[in-house]
Amino acid sequence: QVQLVESGGGVVQAGGSLRLSCAASRRTFSIYDMGWFRQAPGKEREFVAYIRSSGVPIYSDRVKGRFTISRDNTKNTMYLQMKDLEPEDTAVYYCAVRIGGYSYSPTNFGSWGQGTQVTVSS
């Protein structure tokens, strides 16, 4: 079972940037489609971005144009580069692997990491 660990969160001012990392425990990381999700207090976990094993990305409308997802299979690591951050981006950010389904719902992902907190102040 692949283990995922998120890092890179912190506190930034609105308009700032931050890069999150998701480190995987296994070299088989390269075969997985991967996703970033976030969960704010009192809210359900929501889709942020997705990247296929081939590198093809997709983004939620809320972050498109501001966030960039990428992966480095030689390091078994996925990244989320965030810019133009807004207070509404404040949440715990999680990475996960695609396990099935035909949508980007969290129910179609597994092996969730512990999350990393992103706080954007105004």
Side-chain angles (χ1 to χ4, degrees):
Q1 178 65 50
V2 62
Q3 299 289 112
L4 303 177
V5 178
E6 302 93 338
S7 63
V11 180
V12 298
Q13 293 281 87
S17 63
L18 205 60
R19 188 176 77 159
L20 307 183
S21 298
C22 172
S25 63
R26 297 176 61 184
R27 288 172 176 157
T28 50
F29 167 82
S30 63
I31 73 174
Y32 295 119
D33 295 351
M34 304 286 296
W36 282 101
F37 296 78
R38 66 188 183 187
Q39 188 165 18
K43 303 290 185 64
E44 292 187 351
R45 192 165 300 185
E46 69 174 4
F47 168 73
V48 175
Y50 174 80
I51 187 165
R52 295 176 64 90
S53 60
S54 63
V56 176
I58 190 168
Y59 302 93
S60 75
D61 290 339
R62 292 182 179 178
V63 308
K64 188 176 297 182
R66 300 188 297 119
F67 292 10
T68 302
I69 190 171
S70 63
R71 65 193 298 162
D72 185 344
N73 290 340
T74 68
K75 298 180 179 179
N76 296 331
T77 303
M78 178 178 66
Y79 304 96
L80 186 68
Q81 180 66 56
M82 306 182 292
K83 67 176 183 179
D84 300 323
L85 284 162
E86 305 167 352
E88 292 74 21
D89 295 317
T90 295
V92 177
Y93 283 70
Y94 300 90
C95 61
V97 301
R98 181 71 170 262
I99 59 174
Y102 297 96
S103 76
Y104 301 105
S105 166
T107 61
N108 292 323
F109 292 76
S111 296
W112 298 95
Q114 85 288 347
T116 186
Q117 177 71 50
V118 172
T119 301
V120 184
S121 64
S122 59

mmCIF file of all heavy atoms in Angstrom, residues 66-91:
data_model
loop_
_atom_site.group_PDB
_atom_site.id
_atom_site.type_symbol
_atom_site.label_atom_id
_atom_site.label_comp_id
_atom_site.label_asym_id
_atom_site.label_seq_id
_atom_site.Cartn_x
_atom_site.Cartn_y
_atom_site.Cartn_z
ATOM 1 N N ARG A 66 -4.464 29.703 -11.353
ATOM 2 C CA ARG A 66 -3.678 30.104 -10.187
ATOM 3 C C ARG A 66 -2.799 28.984 -9.654
ATOM 4 O O ARG A 66 -1.721 29.247 -9.128
ATOM 5 C CB ARG A 66 -4.594 30.586 -9.064
ATOM 6 C CG ARG A 66 -5.449 31.797 -9.444
ATOM 7 C CD ARG A 66 -6.198 32.348 -8.234
ATOM 8 N NE ARG A 66 -7.149 31.379 -7.685
ATOM 9 C CZ ARG A 66 -7.102 30.893 -6.451
ATOM 10 N NH1 ARG A 66 -6.144 31.289 -5.614
ATOM 11 N NH2 ARG A 66 -8.019 30.030 -6.034
ATOM 12 N N PHE A 67 -3.258 27.747 -9.765
ATOM 13 C CA PHE A 67 -2.526 26.597 -9.246
ATOM 14 C C PHE A 67 -1.977 25.774 -10.400
ATOM 15 O O PHE A 67 -2.599 25.680 -11.464
ATOM 16 C CB PHE A 67 -3.432 25.700 -8.407
ATOM 17 C CG PHE A 67 -3.906 26.278 -7.102
ATOM 18 C CD1 PHE A 67 -3.713 27.612 -6.776
ATOM 19 C CD2 PHE A 67 -4.561 25.464 -6.188
ATOM 20 C CE1 PHE A 67 -4.161 28.140 -5.580
ATOM 21 C CE2 PHE A 67 -5.011 25.975 -4.983
ATOM 22 C CZ PHE A 67 -4.813 27.311 -4.675
ATOM 23 N N THR A 68 -0.831 25.146 -10.174
ATOM 24 C CA THR A 68 -0.231 24.257 -11.147
ATOM 25 C C THR A 68 0.156 22.951 -10.471
ATOM 26 O O THR A 68 0.907 22.955 -9.499
ATOM 27 C CB THR A 68 1.014 24.885 -11.790
ATOM 28 O OG1 THR A 68 0.663 26.126 -12.417
ATOM 29 C CG2 THR A 68 1.595 23.945 -12.845
ATOM 30 N N ILE A 69 -0.352 21.850 -10.998
ATOM 31 C CA ILE A 69 -0.010 20.533 -10.477
ATOM 32 C C ILE A 69 1.088 19.929 -11.344
ATOM 33 O O ILE A 69 1.105 20.105 -12.561
ATOM 34 C CB ILE A 69 -1.257 19.622 -10.427
ATOM 35 C CG1 ILE A 69 -0.959 18.325 -9.666
ATOM 36 C CG2 ILE A 69 -1.795 19.338 -11.823
ATOM 37 C CD1 ILE A 69 -2.210 17.493 -9.395
ATOM 38 N N SER A 70 2.008 19.238 -10.713
ATOM 39 C CA SER A 70 3.086 18.590 -11.443
ATOM 40 C C SER A 70 3.554 17.369 -10.665
ATOM 41 O O SER A 70 3.160 17.161 -9.514
ATOM 42 C CB SER A 70 4.249 19.558 -11.686
ATOM 43 O OG SER A 70 4.815 19.984 -10.456
ATOM 44 N N ARG A 71 4.399 16.573 -11.299
ATOM 45 C CA ARG A 71 4.947 15.413 -10.617
ATOM 46 C C ARG A 71 6.355 15.144 -11.111
ATOM 47 O O ARG A 71 6.696 15.441 -12.259
ATOM 48 C CB ARG A 71 4.050 14.185 -10.821
ATOM 49 C CG ARG A 71 3.967 13.694 -12.260
ATOM 50 C CD ARG A 71 2.829 12.692 -12.438
ATOM 51 N NE ARG A 71 3.014 11.498 -11.633
ATOM 52 C CZ ARG A 71 2.057 10.637 -11.325
ATOM 53 N NH1 ARG A 71 0.806 10.854 -11.755
ATOM 54 N NH2 ARG A 71 2.320 9.566 -10.586
ATOM 55 N N ASP A 72 7.155 14.583 -10.228
ATOM 56 C CA ASP A 72 8.504 14.162 -10.556
ATOM 57 C C ASP A 72 8.598 12.697 -10.167
ATOM 58 O O ASP A 72 8.799 12.364 -9.002
ATOM 59 C CB ASP A 72 9.540 14.998 -9.813
ATOM 60 C CG ASP A 72 10.960 14.667 -10.224
ATOM 61 O OD1 ASP A 72 11.184 13.608 -10.840
ATOM 62 O OD2 ASP A 72 11.863 15.477 -9.933
ATOM 63 N N ASN A 73 8.433 11.827 -11.144
ATOM 64 C CA ASN A 73 8.397 10.401 -10.856
ATOM 65 C C ASN A 73 9.742 9.860 -10.388
ATOM 66 O O ASN A 73 9.795 8.830 -9.717
ATOM 67 C CB ASN A 73 7.910 9.628 -12.084
ATOM 68 C CG ASN A 73 6.445 9.849 -12.369
ATOM 69 O OD1 ASN A 73 5.679 10.261 -11.491
ATOM 70 N ND2 ASN A 73 6.030 9.583 -13.599
ATOM 71 N N THR A 74 10.837 10.545 -10.725
ATOM 72 C CA THR A 74 12.140 10.112 -10.252
ATOM 73 C C THR A 74 12.293 10.329 -8.755
ATOM 74 O O THR A 74 13.135 9.699 -8.117
ATOM 75 C CB THR A 74 13.278 10.833 -10.990
ATOM 76 O OG1 THR A 74 13.284 12.218 -10.646
ATOM 77 C CG2 THR A 74 13.117 10.688 -12.492
ATOM 78 N N LYS A 75 11.481 11.224 -8.192
ATOM 79 C CA LYS A 75 11.508 11.510 -6.758
ATOM 80 C C LYS A 75 10.271 10.993 -6.040
ATOM 81 O O LYS A 75 10.119 11.229 -4.833
ATOM 82 C CB LYS A 75 11.638 13.011 -6.520
ATOM 83 C CG LYS A 75 12.917 13.621 -7.067
ATOM 84 C CD LYS A 75 12.979 15.110 -6.785
ATOM 85 C CE LYS A 75 14.264 15.712 -7.298
ATOM 86 N NZ LYS A 75 14.330 17.175 -7.039
ATOM 87 N N ASN A 76 9.390 10.317 -6.754
ATOM 88 C CA ASN A 76 8.136 9.814 -6.188
ATOM 89 C C ASN A 76 7.378 10.934 -5.480
ATOM 90 O O ASN A 76 6.856 10.748 -4.374
ATOM 91 C CB ASN A 76 8.398 8.659 -5.217
ATOM 92 C CG ASN A 76 9.008 7.456 -5.890
ATOM 93 O OD1 ASN A 76 8.780 7.199 -7.070
ATOM 94 N ND2 ASN A 76 9.787 6.693 -5.135
ATOM 95 N N THR A 77 7.309 12.083 -6.125
ATOM 96 C CA THR A 77 6.733 13.266 -5.497
ATOM 97 C C THR A 77 5.818 14.009 -6.460
ATOM 98 O O THR A 77 6.132 14.148 -7.643
ATOM 99 C CB THR A 77 7.833 14.212 -4.997
ATOM 100 O OG1 THR A 77 8.687 13.513 -4.085
ATOM 101 C CG2 THR A 77 7.235 15.412 -4.278
ATOM 102 N N MET A 78 4.698 14.488 -5.928
ATOM 103 C CA MET A 78 3.771 15.340 -6.649
ATOM 104 C C MET A 78 3.775 16.714 -5.994
ATOM 105 O O MET A 78 3.973 16.830 -4.780
ATOM 106 C CB MET A 78 2.362 14.745 -6.611
ATOM 107 C CG MET A 78 1.312 15.578 -7.303
ATOM 108 S SD MET A 78 -0.337 14.794 -7.289
ATOM 109 C CE MET A 78 -0.714 14.811 -5.536
ATOM 110 N N TYR A 79 3.528 17.759 -6.786
ATOM 111 C CA TYR A 79 3.585 19.125 -6.291
ATOM 112 C C TYR A 79 2.309 19.883 -6.641
ATOM 113 O O TYR A 79 1.617 19.566 -7.609
ATOM 114 C CB TYR A 79 4.769 19.873 -6.896
ATOM 115 C CG TYR A 79 6.093 19.205 -6.675
ATOM 116 C CD1 TYR A 79 6.638 18.367 -7.643
ATOM 117 C CD2 TYR A 79 6.801 19.404 -5.495
ATOM 118 C CE1 TYR A 79 7.859 17.748 -7.441
ATOM 119 C CE2 TYR A 79 8.025 18.784 -5.287
ATOM 120 C CZ TYR A 79 8.551 17.959 -6.260
ATOM 121 O OH TYR A 79 9.757 17.343 -6.050
ATOM 122 N N LEU A 80 2.026 20.895 -5.849
ATOM 123 C CA LEU A 80 0.977 21.847 -6.161
ATOM 124 C C LEU A 80 1.546 23.238 -5.936
ATOM 125 O O LEU A 80 1.738 23.657 -4.792
ATOM 126 C CB LEU A 80 -0.261 21.628 -5.302
ATOM 127 C CG LEU A 80 -1.471 22.491 -5.661
ATOM 128 C CD1 LEU A 80 -2.038 22.075 -7.020
ATOM 129 C CD2 LEU A 80 -2.546 22.394 -4.583
ATOM 130 N N GLN A 81 1.838 23.940 -7.026
ATOM 131 C CA GLN A 81 2.320 25.307 -6.952
ATOM 132 C C GLN A 81 1.114 26.236 -6.943
ATOM 133 O O GLN A 81 0.319 26.220 -7.881
ATOM 134 C CB GLN A 81 3.226 25.626 -8.135
ATOM 135 C CG GLN A 81 3.775 27.040 -8.143
ATOM 136 C CD GLN A 81 4.729 27.293 -6.999
ATOM 137 O OE1 GLN A 81 5.707 26.576 -6.836
ATOM 138 N NE2 GLN A 81 4.450 28.309 -6.189
ATOM 139 N N MET A 82 0.988 27.032 -5.898
ATOM 140 C CA MET A 82 -0.158 27.907 -5.724
ATOM 141 C C MET A 82 0.306 29.357 -5.762
ATOM 142 O O MET A 82 1.268 29.729 -5.096
ATOM 143 C CB MET A 82 -0.865 27.619 -4.397
ATOM 144 C CG MET A 82 -1.261 26.165 -4.221
ATOM 145 S SD MET A 82 -2.151 25.857 -2.664
ATOM 146 C CE MET A 82 -0.830 26.158 -1.492
ATOM 147 N N LYS A 83 -0.376 30.177 -6.543
ATOM 148 C CA LYS A 83 -0.101 31.601 -6.596
ATOM 149 C C LYS A 83 -1.408 32.373 -6.521
ATOM 150 O O LYS A 83 -2.487 31.799 -6.639
ATOM 151 C CB LYS A 83 0.665 31.962 -7.870
ATOM 152 C CG LYS A 83 -0.130 31.776 -9.150
ATOM 153 C CD LYS A 83 0.656 32.240 -10.361
ATOM 154 C CE LYS A 83 -0.164 32.113 -11.630
ATOM 155 N NZ LYS A 83 0.576 32.582 -12.824
ATOM 156 N N ASP A 84 -1.291 33.684 -6.320
ATOM 157 C CA ASP A 84 -2.473 34.537 -6.199
ATOM 158 C C ASP A 84 -3.456 33.962 -5.187
ATOM 159 O O ASP A 84 -4.668 33.921 -5.418
ATOM 160 C CB ASP A 84 -3.153 34.719 -7.556
ATOM 161 C CG ASP A 84 -2.256 35.362 -8.588
ATOM 162 O OD1 ASP A 84 -1.464 36.251 -8.215
ATOM 163 O OD2 ASP A 84 -2.334 34.972 -9.765
ATOM 164 N N LEU A 85 -2.922 33.539 -4.070
ATOM 165 C CA LEU A 85 -3.745 32.894 -3.056
ATOM 166 C C LEU A 85 -4.767 33.855 -2.461
ATOM 167 O O LEU A 85 -4.504 35.052 -2.309
ATOM 168 C CB LEU A 85 -2.869 32.313 -1.958
ATOM 169 C CG LEU A 85 -2.145 31.021 -2.343
ATOM 170 C CD1 LEU A 85 -0.986 30.746 -1.396
ATOM 171 C CD2 LEU A 85 -3.128 29.855 -2.335
ATOM 172 N N GLU A 86 -5.915 33.311 -2.145
ATOM 173 C CA GLU A 86 -7.026 34.056 -1.582
ATOM 174 C C GLU A 86 -7.393 33.479 -0.224
ATOM 175 O O GLU A 86 -7.144 32.302 0.029
ATOM 176 C CB GLU A 86 -8.238 33.987 -2.521
ATOM 177 C CG GLU A 86 -7.945 34.448 -3.932
ATOM 178 C CD GLU A 86 -9.040 34.086 -4.911
ATOM 179 O OE1 GLU A 86 -9.973 33.347 -4.528
ATOM 180 O OE2 GLU A 86 -8.966 34.556 -6.059
ATOM 181 N N PRO A 87 -8.000 34.284 0.656
ATOM 182 C CA PRO A 87 -8.420 33.729 1.947
ATOM 183 C C PRO A 87 -9.309 32.498 1.802
ATOM 184 O O PRO A 87 -9.268 31.606 2.658
ATOM 185 C CB PRO A 87 -9.174 34.895 2.587
ATOM 186 C CG PRO A 87 -8.522 36.109 2.015
ATOM 187 C CD PRO A 87 -8.194 35.737 0.587
ATOM 188 N N GLU A 88 -10.080 32.434 0.731
ATOM 189 C CA GLU A 88 -10.957 31.295 0.488
ATOM 190 C C GLU A 88 -10.189 30.012 0.185
ATOM 191 O O GLU A 88 -10.778 28.929 0.184
ATOM 192 C CB GLU A 88 -11.926 31.598 -0.654
ATOM 193 C CG GLU A 88 -12.958 32.677 -0.334
ATOM 194 C CD GLU A 88 -12.375 34.086 -0.313
ATOM 195 O OE1 GLU A 88 -11.305 34.314 -0.912
ATOM 196 O OE2 GLU A 88 -13.002 34.961 0.315
ATOM 197 N N ASP A 89 -8.887 30.120 -0.082
ATOM 198 C CA ASP A 89 -8.058 28.943 -0.296
ATOM 199 C C ASP A 89 -7.618 28.297 1.012
ATOM 200 O O ASP A 89 -6.994 27.231 0.992
ATOM 201 C CB ASP A 89 -6.820 29.293 -1.118
ATOM 202 C CG ASP A 89 -7.157 29.738 -2.530
ATOM 203 O OD1 ASP A 89 -8.024 29.106 -3.167
ATOM 204 O OD2 ASP A 89 -6.543 30.725 -2.994
ATOM 205 N N THR A 90 -7.903 28.935 2.128
ATOM 206 C CA THR A 90 -7.512 28.397 3.428
ATOM 207 C C THR A 90 -8.179 27.050 3.666
ATOM 208 O O THR A 90 -9.402 26.929 3.594
ATOM 209 C CB THR A 90 -7.894 29.378 4.545
ATOM 210 O OG1 THR A 90 -7.139 30.583 4.393
ATOM 211 C CG2 THR A 90 -7.603 28.775 5.913
ATOM 212 N N ALA A 91 -7.374 26.038 3.942
ATOM 213 C CA ALA A 91 -7.876 24.680 4.134
ATOM 214 C C ALA A 91 -6.709 23.767 4.465
ATOM 215 O O ALA A 91 -5.546 24.145 4.335
ATOM 216 C CB ALA A 91 -8.588 24.180 2.875
#
